[in-house]
Amino acid sequence: MRRHPFSLGSKTMTHLPRIPGLRAALLATATCLLPVTAGAQGPVTLPMHATCSFSNMLRDLRQGLREGSPTYRRYLREHFKEAARVMPAEELLAMVAQEREPAVLEVLGAGLATKASFIEDPSLVQPLLQRAMSDGDPALRAAALKGLERTGSVEMMEKNGGVVTYPQLMRDPSPEVREAVASNLITESAKVYFGHDQRVSETAVAAALASPDPELTAKLLREVSMEKVGPETVDKLRGQLRAQSPSLRAAAATALGGVPGAQSPQARGSLVELYRSEKDPAVRKAALMGIARLGFAGSRSTLESLRGVAPGLDPEIDAWLTVLKRNNVQDWGLLLREKERIRK
Amino acid sequence: MNVKNMMYAAAALVVGVANVAVAHTAVGPICDTVARVGSTTYYSCSGSGHTALDMSNQSCSEWNHRGMIQGSVYYAYYGGCASNCSGGTTCNAGAGNYYKVTGAPGWDFAQLHLNSNASSGSKTCDRCALGLVGSTGNSTGAHVHAHNRKDTVRQSAWYVNAGTTCGSSAYCSNVVGYPTF
């Protein structure tokens, strides 16, 4: 088998000299790291030769991240990730190991994680995991984690022996690190697996329950898909219906609304019980939403049976029943939007 | 509406937003600069209906068949077909060995007909090697077939909007489409 013809393994190449103006300089340095496209034209005469080195590229990246607009910084991150796929792993690893500036570490980490994903070598992210776990600076720990965003990080952690895990990282004393954990898991569930991965969902629940911050726990339970979780995780979610924090109880009710069909009888029973015993109207609303989501049109009789339990919320039940009578709406996102249109 | 209720309403909407299909960027699946698109909406751009991309570099079982989506996604593998360079079999209902990325409800993106090798298997990766360019299933000659479907109906906007047509480059750094899933 022939290997694909990337030819950018060398440390030094030629490119345009550094031009006054940050953008032009960064573009020049970053471009020299990208593969030549199929549509490339004939040879271009360069005005003069200069060394394209990783240290120059890193210097320009650092400057751009310090001084560029948010949009430009996002561009730099994406551009570096593309370049990193064909950069020598040793150079990337050395840069990650030495970096002390959080914004730069995050981008370098994203590049390293992209390369690991491209060449399917999860061991490449080990130094990133170690920094996320043990760097003395919480901003650097968070940055190392953010570098793993939108990758298969849960799987990569497992393939690295499970030495560093998200539930462990969620116990970090720094709120910044814990927020990075939540952000990574929410993004990974939605953007990498589109909500269809049991391992990521269950890791998210485990991390949520390890969090000392109820609001962060609630955020994870609310926003991560539960469509593939198993019975043990459903039991954990049911346990959170008795949490002290109302937002956590509401989040658990929301999460239970999204569990697989096989788990729905237990989830529905718990949500009905919650609706009957709960005092907080917002939590009760979440319970109604969970019941509606579990059964769609089939939940109408359950919802009707709850009329009068909390008279102030009967209009909420009516709104759900109105939407659920329209049998042509089978998509939960559309159903929810329609219900919100009728009654927020 | 008080602040608390507004927060809960916003949180409720997040639950729906997570299931919304969005556009992704797809590059060519073969890291050979000679790789080209051979069919789009019609076979060879003038035959019967196709509504997908067929891409080839005129080789078989030699070059990697790579994931086309920019960014890490989960490629579910459906294998079991013996390697083939001429096609014409009904293995996996004609799809041959293939990968599918399942996105928001009803949406998917698939790459068909590869010959399997050690790289083949369900995986999460960013444009990694999935197997070899081959011709398993209902295929006439080794190529990569890629389609983007909504409720099992193949869509064309994803490659039309990228300006991809017969003869376009299918090299692995050339954008060939923006599939939705």
Side-chain angles (χ1 to χ4, degrees):
Chain A
M1 171 177 51
R2 261 188 285 168
R3 297 178 69 83
H4 61 76
F6 284 138
S7 56
L8 297 164
S10 63
K11 272 172 78 169
T12 58
M13 287 165 277
T14 57
H15 75 144
L16 289 169
R18 186 169 164 76
I19 308 161
L22 177 63
R23 186 163 303 199
L26 277 163
L27 279 171
T29 48
T31 303
C32 79
L33 290 162
L34 288 172
V36 177
T37 63
Q41 298 300 305
V44 176
T45 307
L46 300 175
M48 60 180 290
H49 288 260
T51 301
C52 173
S53 68
F54 286 105
S55 58
N56 284 349
M57 184 198 64
L58 187 55
R59 180 197 60 205
D60 291 338
L61 177 67
R62 190 183 309 284
Q63 191 178 349
L65 290 172
R66 281 181 189 158
E67 300 171 10
S69 68
T71 304
Y72 187 51
R73 291 200 296 270
R74 277 199 300 278
Y75 163 78
L76 285 175
R77 179 186 168 109
E78 293 308 309
H79 207 87
F80 185 80
K81 281 166 64 178
E82 286 302 296
R85 292 190 308 136
V86 289
M87 285 167 65
E90 305 75 40
E91 297 286 350
L92 273 169
L93 288 166
M95 287 196 281
V96 165
Q98 291 160 18
E99 186 54 48
R100 301 298 303 166
E101 198 168 325
V104 180
L105 178 62
E106 181 182 334
V107 174
L108 295 178
L112 189 60
T114 298
K115 185 171 185 72
S117 186
F118 181 61
I119 64 171
E120 298 181 80
D121 182 359
S123 71
L124 274 185
V125 302
Q126 263 182 11
L128 213 53
L129 296 175
Q130 280 309 317
R131 290 201 71 174
M133 192 72 186
S134 55
D135 197 290
D137 181 347
L140 287 169
R141 293 201 299 277
L145 263 182
K146 288 175 189 170
L148 291 166
E149 191 178 67
R150 209 167 176 165
T151 65
S153 64
V154 172
E155 182 183 327
M156 284 201 269
M157 285 179 184
E158 272 189 18
K159 287 183 173 172
N160 277 301
V163 179
V164 178
T165 66
Y166 276 119
Q168 279 176 333
L169 293 163
M170 192 53 119
R171 296 186 193 99
D172 192 287
S174 163
E176 194 179 355
V177 175
R178 298 198 299 268
E179 278 163 22
V181 170
S183 174
N184 276 15
L185 287 167
I186 290 167
T187 306
E188 188 163 329
S189 171
K191 308 287 186 191
V192 178
Y193 295 96
F194 308 97
H196 310 315
D197 192 76
Q198 179 175 7
R199 177 170 43 191
V200 173
S201 298
E202 295 191 339
T203 300
V205 172
L209 299 186
S211 169
D213 176 0
E215 290 304 317
L216 206 54
T217 304
K219 182 180 169 70
L220 268 168
L221 297 188
R222 206 165 45 226
E223 297 187 24
V224 169
S225 163
M226 299 294 159
E227 71 173 56
K228 295 286 185 187
V229 297
E232 285 182 16
T233 300
V234 172
D235 285 344
K236 289 178 186 171
L237 294 173
R238 290 166 69 199
Q240 291 307 303
L241 297 177
R242 296 186 294 275
Q244 202 169 14
S245 158
S247 64
L248 188 44
R249 294 199 298 278
T254 302
L256 281 168
V259 302
Q263 319 297 335
S264 64
Q266 297 90 330
R268 186 182 302 108
S270 297
L271 290 173
V272 168
E273 192 183 318
L274 175 71
Y275 187 80
R276 291 186 181 281
S277 60
E278 178 64 49
K279 300 295 176 208
D280 189 312
V283 180
R284 278 186 153 146
K285 279 182 74 172
L288 291 176
M289 183 172 75
I291 292 166
R293 189 177 187 188
L294 281 173
F296 280 64
S299 64
R300 281 162 55 192
S301 58
T302 306
L303 289 168
E304 277 167 359
S305 74
L306 295 173
R307 270 208 185 105
V309 171
L313 283 174
D314 282 356
E316 182 76 5
I317 293 176
D318 291 339
W320 278 117
L321 290 171
T322 301
V323 174
L324 293 169
K325 276 177 190 163
R326 296 173 190 163
N327 287 327
N328 57 334
V329 182
Q330 294 294 317
D331 179 279
W332 171 246
L334 294 177
L335 200 74
L336 179 61
R337 258 184 281 176
E338 179 62 7
K339 186 267 165 189
E340 292 293 314
R341 189 186 66 77
I342 294 171
R343 179 185 156 86
K344 289 203 183 294
Chain B
M1 183 187 295
N2 64 29
V3 173
K4 191 176 177 185
N5 281 343
M6 282 175 71
M7 282 173 59
Y8 281 113
L13 282 175
V14 165
V15 180
V17 169
N19 278 333
V20 174
V22 296
H24 295 74
T25 300
V27 297
I30 310 169
C31 285
D32 180 0
T33 53
V34 306
R36 288 289 180 273
V37 173
S39 295
T40 58
T41 304
Y42 304 97
Y43 281 104
S44 302
C45 280
S46 60
S48 55
H50 181 241
T51 319
L53 295 183
D54 280 348
M55 294 158 281
S56 160
N57 66 343
Q58 309 301 320
S59 73
C60 182
S61 263
E62 188 177 355
W63 286 75
N64 283 323
H65 169 141
R66 290 188 165 273
M68 294 170 65
I69 305 302
Q70 268 190 6
S72 290
V73 290
Y74 179 70
Y75 292 90
Y77 179 56
Y78 301 86
C81 306
S83 290
N84 195 321
C85 286
S86 55
T89 76
T90 57
C91 189
N92 286 339
N97 297 321
Y98 70 102
Y99 284 86
K100 185 160 76 170
V101 180
T102 302
W107 290 94
D108 63 38
F109 178 80
Q111 296 180 219
L112 278 53
H113 303 318
L114 61 109
N115 284 352
S116 64
N117 67 359
S119 299
S120 301
S122 296
K123 59 175 84 179
T124 307
C125 69
D126 183 351
R127 289 163 283 175
C128 62
L130 301 174
L132 298 173
V133 178
S135 190
T136 52
N138 184 14
S139 161
T140 50
H143 70 282
V144 177
H145 166 111
H147 65 233
N148 180 201
R149 300 185 307 177
K150 164 66 174 162
D151 296 331
T152 73
V153 177
R154 292 183 190 178
Q155 309 292 303
S156 60
W158 71 279
Y159 57 81
V160 170
N161 290 344
T164 299
T165 187
C166 289
S168 295
S169 170
Y171 181 56
C172 59
S173 70
N174 188 62
V175 173
V176 296
Y178 303 101
T180 298
F181 53 85

